[in-house]
Amino acid sequence: MRATSSTNRDDVFGRAMADAAIGMALVTEDGRFLEVNPALCRFFGYDRATMLTKTVADVTYPPDMDSDLDHADKVAAGVIDSYNLRKRYLHADGHMLTGYLTVSGIRDEYGSLTMFMAQVVDLTHETEVAENLRLLAEHGKDVIARASDQGLLEWVSPTVTAVLGWRPDELVGRAFIDLLHADDHPSTDEAEEALGETRDGSFSARVAHADGTYSWFAVSIDAVRSADGTIQAFVGVMRPNDAEIEARKRVADREAEFRMLAENATDVVIKIGTDARISWVSPSVHETLGWEMADLLGSQPEKFLHPLDAPQMVEDVTHLTPHVPTLQRPRRIRRADGTYHWFSVRATVATSSSGEVVGRVLGLRDMEVELQAQAAVRASERVFRTAMEAAPGGMAVLSMEGRFLQANSALSVMVGRSGEWLKGHHLDDIVHPEDLAADQALRRRVGAGENLAAIRECRLLRADGSSLWVEHAVGLVRTPDGRPDSYVSQFVDISEARESRRELEFLAGHDPLTRLSNRRSLVERLQAALRQTPRTGTRVGVLFLDLDGLKEVNDSYGHAAGDELIVNVAQRIRNAVRTDDIVARLGGDEFVIVLIRVHDLEDATHVADKIRSVVAKPIPSGDLTLCVTTSLGATLAEPDEEPEHVIERADHLLYRAKASGGDRVESG
């Protein structure tokens, strides 16, 4: 069949799912995989056929299965529409994987759950290039071989058996040139010369079959070179071209008839004379339609046309002229067994060298398989369109310029925009300005083929002006002939996960109760302050503070009251010093205050007294009023002094204040 170069836009959703960067699957209620996309297969390390024999439990790390089942049961019961969680899986080779799983239910028109739609986000993506090359080598029509730099065959594709009759192991170790007809060796010499000049070596030669016969092949040889250009091996492709050689002979013998066949090169060619009867039919009519040539010669075309198609087709063909020389229609053609198949019928006026009409030529191309394939595509498209709409994460198909071609409901909800609004806008219109340049660069890399797919975090803008963090996955959709056609973008809301991550990062350097710096953060920040060149006449002061009587508060009113007291004290200390001063809680009722700029020890002691007075004021706590005093040690840090040393010195002064009865400041 003749390949079409135009993009079937109706199939864009199916191809978008197939090319998606995020793993996607349709799963039954009992956990069996109904459909999986290539990204998910790459993630688990299985091919599609194997994945379809698996269940969710087969690929899940056992300790994580219960949580997944609990959530799935809630979706099935209608308690929740979808869920997402971090989950561990098992790769085909046994190592552990981590994925971000998002699942939603797909329900029928009565609201009953029919299946689950699942997405798994992974930051690493494996390529299928090796698998595709293997399939090409094992199932293509060409013979592919690898030879050493000495020309000895090291590997031959299994297709050699169907094409030449050899088993691959019968050829390994033999010289490639031994397979060629002796009269064709000069062609290989020319090829070797071309390879020496780093050009491809291509030539035609007769290649030996296992039974001793020869056939013509188009041979192409490429050299495999090391980094310094040294030839390490050769890779050759052999394609049968007996038909091409035979066609050249026919050109010399029957130029006029060959021209007619070449111009109407379809499955079956029929010539109709000026008497409206069949005068010639190509031999392929027997294989394609089951008719013998003799059965059709001299008959009228209506014999093999469907009765409902015949009158109009005959009229259209009859009225063809040199000014309107061609027409093409899909028509039902009767086979010899009485059944009908759809064919694309191309009718052309046949003229003599003087321009006189001498008949008509019909070319018939079988469309049955194509129509069945189109029906299968439409059926597949319905499934994938449903899956896209049911996807819990945002999903869109974009033009190569970034315009929205399609967007699912989840994306509309995510950004607070209607589907119509999105179709009239560009992805850049919903990406936060600060993330726009990086997001555009991401798409350019994928579009240029630098990455099969790519994922990055960015912010999307909602209609109300707020923003949300998402994981944006971009995959490239290609036309059947391999040209970039569009992007498929997927968006997973990670706002909550990102906020949790930021909180964990904050707590790594802060006290969770008071939100003040902890000891680690205090030491790092004090060290940085001590390394800075101070302003003229200024020093760094360090105060060590301890509450007097916190134990009595805990014993009398409980630890909740004690915690509330500590939070209030922390806030009062923070308010009593400058914004660039450092306030840290070391644990319990101990605090350290770093005064970035004080003139002398008296200045530091004055700030300590101010803090002592502020903290001593009554603190309301529900129906209670709590009062607490503080003891402080105040000192000045020496230039380049280690942070722990100056903190320890302030601590000793604090204990002197405690030993003297508390509620006082000791300096030194």
Side-chain angles (χ1 to χ4, degrees), residues 184-413:
D184 298 328
H185 287 188
S187 298
T188 61
D189 294 337
E190 295 171 8
E192 290 175 358
E193 180 180 352
L195 289 170
E197 299 172 0
T198 70
R199 294 184 286 114
D200 293 341
S202 299
F203 56 95
S204 292
R206 284 162 289 185
V207 181
H209 290 256
D211 62 6
T213 61
Y214 287 86
S215 293
W216 283 96
F217 280 74
V219 182
S220 177
I221 300 178
D222 292 314
V224 179
R225 299 176 184 273
S226 63
D228 62 2
T230 303
I231 294 178
Q232 297 180 317
F234 296 98
V235 175
V237 179
M238 296 186 294
R239 175 172 297 174
N241 69 348
D242 275 336
E244 179 183 345
I245 301 300
E246 187 62 30
R248 291 174 183 172
K249 293 179 181 178
R250 288 202 303 270
V251 167
D253 299 334
R254 302 172 64 186
E255 181 177 353
E257 191 160 73
F258 176 79
R259 177 173 59 83
M260 180 186 71
L261 292 173
E263 292 176 352
N264 299 274
T266 49
D267 292 344
V268 178
V269 178
I270 299 171
K271 185 176 180 180
I272 302 173
T274 54
D275 59 354
R277 295 184 179 276
I278 297 174
S279 61
W280 183 86
V281 61
S282 63
S284 57
V285 72
H286 177 69
E287 180 180 352
T288 304
L289 294 172
W291 295 98
E292 297 296 337
M293 295 174 62
D295 295 336
L296 296 177
L297 294 177
S299 63
Q300 294 180 321
E302 290 93 324
K303 181 173 183 176
F304 59 86
L305 287 171
H306 192 283
L308 297 179
D309 297 340
Q312 187 63 52
M313 190 65 186
V314 169
E315 182 180 351
D316 291 343
V317 172
T318 301
H319 286 85
L320 288 175
T321 69
H323 301 291
V324 185
T326 303
L327 67 82
Q328 188 161 339
R329 302 279 191 276
R331 289 291 181 263
R332 288 164 288 187
I333 303 297
R334 187 163 70 92
R335 296 169 53 87
D337 61 8
T339 60
Y340 287 90
H341 278 217
W342 281 97
F343 279 75
S344 174
V345 180
R346 182 175 184 268
T348 304
V349 171
T351 59
S352 65
S353 57
S354 62
E356 179 184 359
V357 174
V358 295
R360 310 286 190 273
V361 175
L362 300 182
L364 279 61
R365 180 171 59 87
D366 193 343
M367 293 180 62
E368 194 71 22
V369 175
E370 181 180 338
L371 291 175
Q372 291 175 358
Q374 291 174 356
V377 166
R378 287 193 294 271
S380 176
E381 175 63 19
R382 286 193 296 273
V383 173
F384 283 115
R385 186 185 293 272
T386 300
M388 176 181 177
E389 188 57 35
M395 188 171 179
V397 178
L398 308 169
S399 71
M400 295 303 294
E401 296 75 35
R403 290 180 294 100
F404 284 101
L405 301 176
Q406 293 291 339
N408 68 352
S409 299
L411 181 59
S412 294
V413 172

